[in-house]
Amino acid sequence: MQDFYVVDGYNVIHAWPDFEGIKAGGLDHCRDRLIDILANFAAFSGARVKVIFDAHLVKSGIEHAEFIHGVEVFYTQEGETADSLIERLVGDLGKLGTVYVVTSDWDEQRIIFGRGAFRVTPKEFREQIVQINRQQQENYNKENPTEGYLEDKLPREIRIIMEKWRRGKN
């Protein structure tokens, strides 16, 4: 079963302290930074990630989606909220795997629970991301990545014999 994370983009941006200093410069940079964070999370966790940005107040806005670094990014259409798009996605994705919705919106949480999805608060999600990044960093910084190899545990004589067999020499 596949894990899906459906992220309420602006809800996370406004909840995480990581974006405090850059929100004043506009939300474009915040969106890009969040997508980068989510791309790393998707790559390390193996989950499929979808992020929804509310564009319901944008005049003549049309709903569209695009893939950026493996993350499916949705922008709602004029008059549609991120919540309504999230509800629609949760209904579809629930048939394909386990769905986690990242939001702190209480009304949204009640609806997604009714559709079988799990709620993850932005704070909990940030902790998951920090944990996964820490694990990946530890894996990357191991001194000897081959320390678990069988050949390192065999006596020298046996390794020489096996190497000769491998090379086709008697």
Side-chain angles (χ1 to χ4, degrees):
M1 291 288 279
Q2 178 74 51
D3 284 344
F4 295 93
Y5 280 79
V6 179
V7 180
D8 185 337
Y10 290 131
N11 191 276
V12 169
I13 287 172
H14 292 295
W16 284 4
D18 309 66
F19 296 104
E20 284 304 315
I22 57 177
K23 280 192 287 192
L27 292 175
D28 291 347
H29 184 65
C30 293
R31 282 193 303 266
D32 293 342
R33 177 75 183 117
L34 179 60
I35 291 167
D36 287 342
I37 292 168
L38 295 176
N40 285 333
F41 174 77
F44 291 149
S45 69
R48 294 198 36 210
V49 178
K50 300 172 184 299
V51 60
I52 291 81
F53 292 108
D54 218 340
H56 78 280
L57 296 178
V58 176
K59 296 290 183 206
S60 312
I62 57 169
E63 179 182 320
H64 69 280
E66 56 189 333
F67 277 97
I68 303 174
H69 307 302
V71 175
E72 194 168 8
V73 181
F74 290 88
Y75 297 92
T76 64
Q77 64 188 346
E78 180 184 2
E80 182 180 33
T81 64
D83 292 349
S84 60
L85 181 55
I86 289 170
E87 292 162 18
R88 199 166 18 125
L89 287 172
V90 167
D92 295 339
L93 294 173
K95 302 166 191 153
L96 304 173
T98 305
V99 181
Y100 301 91
V101 176
V102 181
T103 185
S104 58
D105 183 329
W106 175 247
D107 290 332
E108 184 63 21
Q109 291 174 23
R110 289 186 313 178
I111 293 169
I112 59 126
F113 285 147
R115 298 199 176 180
F118 296 94
R119 184 253 318 147
V120 179
T121 66
K123 181 180 178 183
E124 292 168 337
F125 188 54
R126 186 172 183 278
E127 290 169 8
Q128 285 181 13
I129 289 172
V130 167
Q131 180 67 25
I132 255 185
N133 288 341
R134 185 177 301 127
Q135 287 172 350
Q136 291 305 317
Q137 192 65 33
E138 288 171 6
N139 289 341
Y140 181 77
N141 288 331
K142 282 185 179 174
E143 279 186 40
N144 184 2
T146 64
E147 72 183 25
Y149 286 3
L150 174 62
E151 71 182 57
D152 293 338
K153 296 177 181 164
L154 292 174
R156 184 175 187 283
E157 301 81 34
I158 301 293
R159 285 192 312 218
I160 290 170
I161 292 169
M162 294 183 91
E163 184 63 21
K164 286 181 181 177
W165 283 348
R166 186 178 76 84
R167 294 185 184 266
K169 298 177 183 175
N170 293 338

